[in-house]
Amino acid sequence: MDQPAAKKQDKLITILKSLGAKDEGGDGDDGDSADGEQCDAEVWDKLTRSFHQAQSVLDQNRALIQQVNENHRSKIPDNLVKNVALIGQLNGNISKVLSIYSDLSIDFSNIVHQRRRRRATTVSTEDGKD
């Protein structure tokens, strides 16, 4: 992973962790803390796997683009023909990255909605105890 991408990923993880800390309520009264910690571990595992998978494909794209550029600069007919397949592979990789991020977005959104529902249920149950 190149330096700017690594910094962006670290920054995103820091932001997501801070959101997770706020999501837990911070009052220490969460009866589902073990369940929440297991869910957090699953979420972070999913995020990490997805980011690594996407970065791997993006790294492949970087190498493919370099090869396309070298082939283009060479102006050798056979190399120019090879670029057609390389560009097709780039296009397929872009679709893979789009799919990875789309799946990640859906998963993350579902997790946030589940937590909000759980928190709303907990709050309404606690309100009924008063």
Side-chain angles (χ1 to χ4, degrees), residues 54-99:
Q55 190 60 51
S56 174
V57 176
L58 292 171
D59 289 340
Q60 289 174 10
N61 280 1
R62 182 182 301 111
L64 288 169
I65 290 168
Q66 288 172 345
Q67 186 63 52
V68 166
N69 285 333
E70 288 173 19
N71 289 347
H72 182 72
R73 280 191 295 269
S74 77
K75 300 194 191 253
I76 298 171
D78 191 42
N79 286 349
L80 296 174
V81 170
K82 289 177 185 177
N83 277 356
V84 174
L86 293 174
I87 292 169
Q89 191 174 349
L90 274 168
N91 189 40
N93 283 354
I94 291 169
S95 294
K96 284 181 193 177
V97 171
L98 177 66
S99 177

Side-chain angles (χ1 to χ4, degrees), residues 97-110:
V97 171
L98 177 66
S99 177
I100 291 166
Y101 282 124
S102 177
D103 291 347
L104 180 60
S105 176
I106 290 167
D107 291 345
F108 191 76
S109 178
N110 287 340

